Amino acid sequence: MTEPILRLENVRKTFPGVIANDQVYLDIRVGEIHALLGENGAGKSTLMNCLYGVYRPDGGKIFWKGKEVDIYQARDAIALGIGMVHQHFKLVPPLTVTENVVLGLPSKREPFLDVKTLDKEIGEIAKRYGFDIDPTAQIWQLPVGVQQRVEILKALYRKAELLILDEPTAVLTPQEVEELFSVLKNLTKMGLSIIFITHKLEEVMAVCDRVTVLRLGKVIDTVNTSDTSTRELAKMMVGREVFMTVNKPELVPGEVVLKLNAVSALDNRGLKAVNDISLEVRRNEILGIAGVDGNGQTELAEVVTGLRPATGGKVEILGKEATNRSPLEIMEMGVAYIPPDRQHTGLLMDFSITENLIGKSYYEEPISKKGVFQKDAVNTFTEKAIKDYDVRTPGPELKAKSLSGGNQQKVVLARELSSNPDLLVAAQPVRGLDVGATEYVHDRMVEARSKGAAILLISTELEEILSLSDRIAVMFEGKIMGILPGKNADIHEIGAMMAGVHQTESGTVVREAEKPL
Amino acid sequence: MFEGFSSIILNIDFYAAIVRMSTPLLLGAIGSLMAERAGIVTFSMESMMLMGTVGGIIGSGLMNNAWAGVGLAIIFGVLIGLIYGIWAVSIGSHQIVTSVGLNLGSLGITSILYALTFMKGGEVVEEIIKVPTLPITKIPLLGDIPFIGPVFFNHYPLVYVGYLLVPMVWYILYKTTWGLKVRAVGEHPHAADTVGISVIKVRYQTLILSGAFSGLAGAFLSICMLGSFQENMTAGRGFIAYTAIVFGKWQPIGVALGTLLFGAADALQLRIQAMNENIPYQFLIMLPYVVTMIALISVVGRASWPAASGLPFKREEG
């Protein structure tokens, strides 16, 4: 067998109080796509950052083409031929494709930058790899899928032989994912080796040759994808049997709780983010909003909860006018909200668990009387919430930031659901949570549905939408492209709508006129 | 009043004065633009300029040569640039607060340096010290063109440095690899870091330039226009130069136009003062600052500063 292009031997990396990686063995063969599979916090990113010179491993050896190497900084990794495509792209939005690709490299006429010649050169290289990219376009003008290809191009331009892709599908539509897969397969034919970091089992099976599973910072096993199954991989990843379906009782939707009529709103830049949206959510029903991140879902959730003004249309909650009411008024109408970002908007990280738990009821009796907290009532309330929602904490006085992601989200759930809301707006409720915590959050949402809540679920994870929703609405550039029944929904139809294709009466789809970039 | 006003704007000297009054603003603002584009708030220009004024006087006075003054002004400016860099770049302190500290501190330091240098037998000199100044240099041929010549090409040498600086900074920012690094560092330092650019190094380099040209701006005030030193002689010009950067939306041409606008306001108020109308001079001195405030209203909401402006760079945050 030929020498692997990269070999890790007993790599170890610790942070104060945490062992991020321990006894990691990994070998990457030339021309393979090798999945690095693990849950959030399993140590995948830390490991790759060690490889890319962002962190220094505390122990172990790294071999590149058989020779032991030390990687002190990104520059060293690049010089060896390691290219990294980060989950959050490292592209400079106002710069052009060419400028981003050549950034940091000396030019042929140093110190001068001959933009025109470079544009031509980059254009030719892009074409050689089959990328359709305009080198003079500025990054912010490009769709996410194309931006990702710019990142790949950037690595290839630096003569990368090993490409590390960190959760590359997180921001893509199903169609873009398929395009990415064909690009990757094409690249391996040209001799490139690829490390594919993911927590999605289907992707591992679809595109990878071998897979290394990480759990709690350690390598569980490396197997050929042809010799394994998603079920087996899931077991390795989580450490126990996983049931990937949510148990959801059949219920008949009741009265209309949320009614949107031609609602529009602007985003933070003043551009139209929510465009003429009409929909209804009923009791005992989960309406899932699918869509690629940044298509107005967050803004829609904020309009419903009163955090963002509607510029047009009408919001009704249980038949009462709720358009542009204050968040407090809307909350008192029976609306609960799980914000998409629990660290910034979901919780006050420097406040205690108690203070976070009473965040919605702090001004009411019995929690406070005439503006003064009632210690006994507060304690009773928090103790019950911590018990009911299984928040794993040594005590209620701990700061929210000291909890794990799953337990933080349990605090949010306890605060929002303990009042038995009529409407729950859940935006990315399981973002960044591990499988166990995800199960818990989903079970709680299904329970709220059974109790009679109407739920507006916003998620960019199609899996989540499909497993929970009674009906699915797809959002694209601020508009609803269509609403489908959740049962037996066609993933390809949803994918097409996520990319901007309208649903028609007959159920077939027509492509919206191509918009200029 | 109207007659007086028209006599001002019909006078060719007025236009030459605009160029002259704009020069220190231009040198500071354009010289600091690269640091701004690298993501540093150069609110510290006031102190760099102030140090430049006293550097100019000391150098020129001690060596009896105005060019020695220019050299020392640059050194003093760079020194402040480096000190600012230690706090703003290496330590990562709050840049506005650090700048305020430097600006207030240098107010005292400049006066002390001045007094110590020109002390006579342990006594602080009472009379104003006069030092050699740079000569007004007319550019051959260009200086003879009617109107254009006297307005643009009959000035102190540092004015011409300002002229050259605008296209040079534009060229550096957009047509060199280093300029590309500067822009990337100011917009997305982590992206720059991942391709092996040293964010810290680039920011220090731009701060050295900011200090050098702001020092030069100070020298212009002390050893071109006056040949002597007064306490707080920049009188907020560093802040106005900063405003010109905002007004010009971080584009070299725009920033240059901004300095011209504020220079014009300054030239105008001086002339109205000289007309001896019954306007209290304190009101007139306000004029450039009022123009600054009005100019800022007009750019509100449309200014797009470098995305990483004022944010210290830290590596290990993922």
Side-chain angles (χ1 to χ4, degrees):
Chain A
M1 206 182 82
T2 54
E3 184 69 44
I5 186 160
L6 178 79
R7 193 153 55 86
L8 301 189
E9 217 174 72
N10 201 10
V11 167
R12 180 185 161 86
K13 173 73 190 172
T14 56
F15 294 108
V18 194
I19 299 170
N21 288 127
D22 196 16
Q23 298 164 32
V24 172
Y25 292 84
L26 181 71
D27 70 296
I28 308 295
R29 295 174 190 160
V30 176
E32 75 167 339
I33 304 182
H34 192 118
L36 198 57
L37 180 70
E39 292 203 80
N40 291 303
K44 296 168 295 188
S45 295
T46 306
L47 184 62
M48 290 304 111
N49 280 328
C50 285
L51 203 51
Y52 199 63
V54 178
Y55 301 143
R56 291 275 297 140
D58 303 323
K61 290 172 180 169
I62 300 173
F63 295 90
W64 177 256
K65 294 177 179 171
K67 269 204 310 215
E68 191 182 344
V69 288
D70 275 321
I71 300 169
Y72 293 100
Q73 48 184 336
R75 216 177 307 179
D76 302 336
I78 295 167
L80 288 173
I82 300 174
M84 178 115 159
V85 177
H86 294 84
Q87 186 179 359
H88 304 285
F89 301 150
K90 304 288 183 188
L91 296 170
V92 188
L95 300 188
T96 68
V97 170
T98 298
E99 287 176 326
N100 269 286
V101 170
V102 304
L103 180 63
L105 295 175
S107 80
K108 285 185 188 105
R109 296 201 303 124
E110 194 65 15
F112 304 107
L113 192 68
D114 191 348
V115 180
K116 278 208 182 97
T117 319
L118 284 170
D119 279 343
K120 224 175 123 199
E121 189 190 344
I122 303 294
E124 275 162 17
I125 295 172
K127 213 175 280 169
R128 199 186 317 149
Y129 288 106
F131 298 169
D132 184 19
I133 299 175
D134 171 13
T136 62
Q138 289 175 329
I139 296 299
W140 63 268
Q141 301 171 310
L142 301 173
V144 177
V146 179
Q147 290 187 14
Q148 190 170 54
R149 240 153 281 171
V150 176
E151 277 282 32
I152 295 175
L153 190 63
K154 201 165 109 184
L156 296 174
Y157 187 76
R158 287 166 166 72
K159 309 235 178 335
E161 294 171 63
L162 173 69
L163 210 53
I164 304 170
L165 301 162
D166 189 6
E167 302 270 359
T169 59
V171 290
L172 304 181
T173 65
Q175 274 76 2
E176 284 176 320
V177 169
E178 275 172 32
E179 282 169 37
L180 173 69
F181 286 176
S182 79
V183 163
L184 295 185
K185 283 184 174 150
N186 202 15
L187 289 175
T188 53
K189 275 185 207 137
M190 293 174 164
L192 235 78
S193 315
I194 293 169
I195 299 179
F196 191 100
I197 303 174
T198 187
H199 64 267
K200 295 181 185 169
L201 304 164
E202 304 75 32
E203 294 176 355
V204 173
M205 299 307 286
V207 73
C208 299
D209 303 304
R210 293 194 303 152
V211 48
T212 295
V213 184
L214 276 182
R215 188 170 78 227
L216 301 173
K218 287 185 183 163
V219 169
I220 302 301
D221 201 359
T222 299
V223 291
N224 295 321
T225 47
S226 52
D227 302 337
T228 186
S229 64
T230 49
R231 199 187 163 87
E232 208 177 287
L233 287 177
K235 204 174 156 187
M236 280 198 267
M237 181 164 92
V238 183
R240 62 177 168 83
E241 202 72 42
V242 182
F243 304 99
M244 278 177 288
T245 49
V246 180
N247 256 333
K248 197 176 65 173
E250 290 283 338
L251 292 172
V252 181
E255 62 176 321
V256 174
V257 178
L258 173 70
K259 185 174 178 181
L260 302 182
N261 193 358
V263 169
S264 295
L266 305 178
D267 66 12
N268 292 342
R269 293 167 300 170
L271 305 173
K272 200 154 207 172
V274 177
N275 196 349
D276 201 18
I277 282 191
S278 301
L279 53 81
E280 285 179 359
V281 194
R282 294 166 175 271
R283 283 201 188 280
N284 307 110
E285 181 189 49
I286 298 179
L287 175 70
I289 305 242
V292 179
D293 210 3
N295 274 287
Q297 303 98 312
T298 312
E299 286 82 359
L300 178 67
E302 288 172 350
V303 169
V304 172
T305 50
L307 294 165
R308 181 177 294 274
T311 52
K314 214 171 142 188
V315 181
E316 273 179 31
I317 291 164
L318 288 168
K320 275 179 263 171
E321 168 76 31
T323 324
N324 292 338
R325 296 288 192 86
S326 75
L328 181 64
E329 284 174 300
I330 289 176
M331 196 180 92
E332 291 188 332
M333 289 168 104
V335 177
Y337 180 40
I338 301 175
D341 183 344
R342 73 182 150 269
Q343 311 221 340
H344 291 112
T345 44
L347 293 169
L348 290 159
M349 299 303 271
D350 283 318
F351 277 30
S352 71
I353 295 166
T354 301
E355 285 164 324
N356 273 292
L357 281 171
I358 60 172
K360 274 183 91 170
S361 48
Y362 68 94
Y363 62 94
E364 290 171 333
E365 290 197 20
I367 300 295
S368 63
K369 279 183 187 157
K370 296 190 167 65
V372 179
F373 283 126
Q374 303 301 304
K375 203 172 164 217
D376 291 340
V378 170
N379 288 345
T380 316
F381 179 82
T382 45
E383 270 163 35
K384 186 170 183 318
I386 288 174
K387 195 162 146 274
D388 286 354
Y389 286 84
D390 191 29
V391 181
R392 307 274 170 86
T393 170
E397 294 312 317
L398 243 67
K399 284 183 178 177
K401 69 177 171 194
S402 64
L403 295 176
S404 71
N407 281 301
Q408 287 173 358
Q409 197 69 329
K410 284 177 185 171
V411 173
V412 175
L413 284 176
R415 186 187 69 206
E416 297 296 326
L417 293 180
S418 57
S419 58
N420 289 324
D422 295 305
L423 174 68
L424 170 66
V425 178
Q428 308 288 3
V430 299
R431 181 182 275 174
L433 299 187
D434 63 26
V435 172
T438 299
E439 276 181 344
Y440 185 87
V441 172
H442 285 167
D443 286 348
R444 281 294 178 158
M445 286 171 64
V446 169
E447 184 191 302
R449 168 180 172 271
S450 301
K451 282 187 187 164
I455 299 179
L456 184 69
L457 166 69
I458 291 169
S459 175
T460 51
E461 298 282 341
L462 213 41
E463 283 294 311
E464 184 181 17
I465 295 278
L466 288 168
S467 63
L468 283 177
S469 307
D470 297 301
R471 289 186 300 139
I472 299 169
V474 185
M475 252 182 113
F476 174 74
E477 293 191 347
K479 286 188 184 148
I480 299 282
M481 305 311 283
I483 299 183
L484 310 162
K487 222 176 208 172
N488 307 322
D490 178 2
I491 189 163
H492 288 282
E493 194 179 353
I494 295 174
M497 288 197 278
M498 281 165 75
V501 178
H502 265 299
Q503 186 189 28
T504 61
E505 292 291 321
S506 60
T508 52
V509 288
V510 286
R511 179 110 199 135
E512 223 190 21
E514 286 288 339
K515 291 197 176 80
L517 291 176
Chain B
M1 174 76 197
F2 177 74
E3 250 172 56
F5 189 71
S6 64
S7 79
I8 289 176
I9 63 164
L10 288 177
N11 190 336
I12 198 162
D13 286 347
F14 172 59
Y15 297 96
I18 292 178
V19 171
R20 198 163 56 241
M21 303 308 290
S22 304
T23 296
L25 306 177
L26 183 74
L27 288 170
I30 295 286
S32 298
L33 183 57
M34 289 164 288
E36 278 287 330
R37 292 297 291 262
I40 294 166
V41 176
T42 57
F43 207 64
S44 53
M45 262 188 280
E46 179 76 5
S47 72
M48 295 168 172
M49 279 194 195
L50 210 49
M51 288 297 282
T53 59
V54 80
I57 289 294
I58 293 174
S60 178
L62 292 185
M63 307 290 289
N64 207 24
N65 179 337
W67 288 105
V70 170
L72 196 63
I74 290 175
I75 291 170
F76 277 17
V78 169
L79 220 57
I80 297 289
L82 290 174
I83 292 171
Y84 187 40
I86 292 172
W87 264 262
V89 180
S90 299
I91 299 174
S93 64
H94 192 288
Q95 298 182 7
I96 300 278
V97 174
T98 310
S99 295
V100 167
L102 281 173
N103 294 338
L104 293 176
S106 53
L107 204 58
I109 295 278
T110 46
S111 295
I112 292 169
L113 285 175
Y114 175 74
L116 287 176
T117 309
F118 296 106
M119 237 166 23
K120 274 181 193 153
E123 298 273 320
V124 176
V125 283
E126 291 296 328
E127 78 275 23
I128 291 168
I129 301 284
K130 279 285 182 189
V131 301
T133 57
L134 290 179
I136 289 187
T137 315
K138 189 170 135 187
I139 305 270
L141 297 174
L142 288 174
D144 295 324
I145 306 171
F147 187 75
I148 306 277
V151 170
F152 292 103
F153 299 110
N154 192 12
H155 283 290
Y156 302 105
L158 297 188
V159 173
Y160 307 131
V161 174
Y163 293 168
L164 294 176
L165 200 56
V166 181
M168 264 175 58
V169 167
W170 178 85
Y171 191 87
I172 288 170
L173 278 176
Y174 295 102
K175 300 289 172 188
T176 68
T177 49
W178 186 74
L180 181 61
K181 284 184 194 175
V182 168
R183 286 184 289 143
V185 162
E187 291 287 349
H188 196 334
H190 290 280
D193 188 45
T194 54
V195 293
I197 295 170
S198 167
V199 175
I200 305 291
K201 190 168 122 190
V202 169
R203 288 188 169 168
Y204 265 103
Q205 287 168 337
T206 60
L207 267 180
I208 288 171
L209 290 171
S210 169
F213 286 106
S214 301
L216 212 55
F220 182 83
L221 292 170
S222 64
I223 54 173
C224 284
M225 291 181 34
L226 282 174
S228 62
F229 177 80
Q230 301 159 7
E231 191 177 271
N232 190 21
M233 119 170 261
T234 49
R237 281 189 177 81
F239 301 129
I240 296 187
Y242 184 76
T243 312
I245 293 177
V246 178
F247 177 81
K249 294 180 196 166
W250 286 265
Q251 305 293 329
I253 307 293
V255 174
L257 290 176
T259 61
L260 268 181
L261 173 69
F262 300 135
D266 211 3
L268 187 63
Q269 67 93 4
L270 281 173
R271 259 136 232 269
I272 298 175
Q273 266 192 61
M275 266 162 51
N276 231 344
E277 295 281 346
N278 282 331
I279 307 172
Y281 77 96
Q282 289 92 340
F283 270 101
L284 292 167
I285 291 175
M286 268 168 47
L287 188 63
Y289 311 97
V290 172
V291 169
T292 307
M293 295 303 287
I294 293 169
L296 279 180
I297 297 171
S298 69
V299 290
V300 154
R302 292 188 291 125
S304 62
W305 50 83
S309 191
L311 302 176
F313 174 70
K314 277 192 215 103
R315 174 66 74 59
E316 287 201 318
E317 62 182 0

